[in-house]
Amino acid sequence: MKRISVFVLLMTCILVAGCSKNIYKRNGDVRSEDNGNRSSVTIGLSQIGSESDWRIASTDSVKAAFSVENGYDLIFDDAQQKQENQLKAIREFIDQGVDYIILDPIVESGWDSVLLEAKEAGIPVIVYDRRVEVDDDSLYTCWIGSDFHLEGKRACAWLSEYLKSKSIDREIKIADIQGTLGASAQIGRSEALDEAFRQNRNWKLVARDTGDFTTAKGKEVMNSMLKQCGDEIDVVYAENDNMAYGALEIMEQRGYKPGYDIDNGEILVISFDSSRNGLQMVLDGDIAVNVECNPLYGPRLVEIIDALEAGKEVEKETFIDEEQFSGIGYIGTIQVDGKPYTVTQVTPELLAERQY
Ligand code: GYE
């Protein structure tokens, strides 16, 4: 009797394993099999949250690329803008024995231990968009993302060209609405502005606070800046589109006008991301210049995973190319460190083709 039930139990286990979609194996050498015997790759992806249009577009892109039809099992985790949730998710991925971990880190610091755990478990970690700051860079396989510092420099170069074109050489007062403090996108964009203050002695920082990359916080921060020094502000440097939307909303409510004409009291708004809504605001004249940050990471990450699956070497660091957009056509090029960058004028046609 006892022998029969052990046999039945054993057969059941074999059957269940045979039908199950995923047989997780560490070290990436044996893949899970589905019923059609097609091998699939299991990926644990830790996403920061859904704080912005950029982030939502990025999530859609990775989900579409790592679909079941394409041969992937994607375990997606939304960390709700909390690093502790990302750490927890990564540890769960390790316990589940995923083939790869993909991480968009909310801030740069604090990853050494968890990445060491992944390394010890033999799971490659691919970092994208924002970066990790670790003592030992063998803790992750590679990183792909934007040059946030260069994005900031391009925004500042545009402002400098614009002021020159209008022969404005008086003191320029700038308010900086920063992204999530400690995030690569904030560090790079804020640092570029700090550099511009050193290079342009008549540019002055009159207010700086974090709006956490969200519309709601952008609005809140802009509101207190307007109360504190609204009549002085010439330029708002919003470190993403969502904070720019929030800032514009409260500016309108409090009777401030966005635009290019800073000598007649308009506030010139600079933004980053160039999402469809952001470019619409450029077309409407509310945002003067918008530096692109491309969120479509799905296909780029698929390329990396497929290369690793094929046993190929991947670049340790890859920067993606990005553009900048304005509502005016007469500044067609800007220079950063001796290199020219084209500024594209936003048109309704361009907007109609924008994917995100
Ligand atoms: O600019 C912002 C998002 O990390 C580049 O995060 C990304 C930034 C992006 O919330 O909109």
Side-chain angles (χ1 to χ4, degrees):
M1 188 65 190
K2 203 173 167 204
R3 205 175 283 165
I4 291 172
S5 41
V6 169
F7 177 75
V8 169
L9 194 71
L10 202 70
M11 283 310 285
T12 314
C13 287
I14 291 168
L15 269 173
V16 167
C19 298
S20 93
K21 205 151 164 294
N22 306 306
I23 303 165
Y24 297 138
K25 274 265 180 184
R26 289 184 188 208
N27 302 324
D29 43 10
V30 179
R31 297 288 166 241
S32 48
E33 302 283 332
D34 70 10
N35 287 337
N37 239 13
R38 183 168 49 85
S39 86
S40 70
V41 181
T42 305
I43 292 162
L45 190 146
S46 170
Q47 174 60 293
I48 293 168
S50 54
E51 75 282 1
S52 64
D53 293 4
W54 188 101
R55 184 78 39 214
I56 291 162
S58 178
T59 292
D60 290 348
S61 171
V62 294
K63 282 189 175 169
F66 290 114
S67 64
V68 175
E69 302 78 63
N70 291 345
Y72 303 97
D73 275 319
L74 179 68
I75 309 171
F76 180 89
D77 187 87
D78 177 338
Q80 320 261 326
Q81 292 259 77
K82 289 199 175 82
Q83 184 175 31
E84 65 203 72
N85 291 343
Q86 289 202 289
L87 296 172
K88 194 164 159 265
I90 294 172
R91 294 198 164 105
E92 278 167 16
F93 297 153
I94 296 172
D95 286 345
Q96 286 166 295
V98 298
D99 297 319
Y100 298 93
I101 291 172
I102 301 183
L103 167 68
D104 189 337
I106 181 161
V107 289
E108 293 191 349
S109 58
W111 303 100
D112 296 77
S113 318
V114 80
L115 292 189
L116 182 61
E117 290 164 39
K119 189 180 176 184
E120 283 171 356
I123 304 173
V125 177
I126 291 101
V127 182
Y128 76 106
D129 171 32
R130 302 184 189 171
R131 315 185 66 129
V132 291
E133 180 72 52
V134 283
D135 288 339
D136 168 9
D137 73 3
S138 77
L139 291 181
Y140 62 95
T141 304
C142 60
W143 168 84
I144 181 167
S146 304
D147 187 335
F148 302 114
H149 191 209
L150 181 60
E151 287 176 355
K153 282 180 163 193
R154 297 202 306 252
C156 295
W158 183 92
L159 179 62
S160 150
E161 272 310 305
Y162 175 74
L163 296 173
K164 232 188 278 164
S165 78
K166 294 281 166 200
S167 308
I168 302 173
D169 56 9
R170 63 172 171 85
E171 191 168 84
I172 298 297
K173 295 190 168 144
I174 302 177
D176 180 14
I177 310 180
Q178 298 177 290
T180 303
L181 297 180
S184 309
Q186 175 274 316
I187 296 171
R189 293 167 189 167
S190 294
E191 269 177 12
L193 184 61
D194 286 336
E195 252 168 52
F197 287 127
R198 290 193 290 274
Q199 284 154 9
N200 302 277
R201 290 290 172 189
N202 55 353
W203 291 15
K204 294 276 171 293
L205 182 68
V206 289
R208 173 174 260 174
D209 199 354
T210 176
D212 228 0
F213 286 126
T214 69
T215 303
K217 275 286 278 315
K219 188 172 171 181
E220 199 182 299
V221 165
M222 185 80 255
N223 192 27
S224 51
M225 287 175 173
L226 289 174
K227 277 191 203 155
Q228 180 200 319
C229 57
D231 294 338
E232 283 183 58
I233 298 173
D234 295 300
V235 174
V236 169
Y237 183 91
E239 293 183 12
N240 85 339
D241 277 342
N242 286 77
M243 297 190 297
Y245 313 151
L248 286 162
E249 209 181 303
I250 197 75
M251 273 160 62
E252 197 190 341
Q253 278 173 32
R254 299 185 65 98
Y256 289 91
K257 198 171 171 332
Y260 295 84
D261 196 0
I262 56 172
D263 275 346
N264 286 304
E266 288 185 350
I267 297 181
L268 186 147
V269 178
I270 293 175
S271 185
F272 295 85
D273 287 353
S274 303
S275 61
R276 199 185 295 115
N277 286 338
L279 292 186
Q280 178 67 56
M281 294 190 182
V282 174
L283 191 64
D284 296 344
D286 292 340
I287 293 175
V289 67
N290 203 328
V291 177
E292 182 182 41
C293 186
N294 192 310
L296 306 178
Y297 278 100
R300 298 173 197 141
L301 291 168
V302 163
E303 214 175 287
I304 292 173
I305 297 286
D306 289 355
L308 293 172
E309 279 290 285
K312 293 185 191 150
E313 287 271 312
V314 292
E315 290 286 332
K316 187 77 187 181
E317 247 188 23
T318 309
F319 288 100
I320 55 178
D321 283 337
E322 290 163 331
E323 292 190 62
Q324 39 280 315
F325 301 91
S326 176
I328 52 172
Y330 54 87
I331 298 172
T333 324
I334 47 166
Q335 298 274 337
V336 173
D337 301 329
K339 230 183 122 186
Y341 294 89
T342 304
V343 183
T344 305
Q345 186 172 12
V346 179
T347 58
E349 295 73 38
L350 185 144
L351 213 51
E353 281 175 17
R354 197 74 182 159
Q355 288 177 53
Y356 54 91

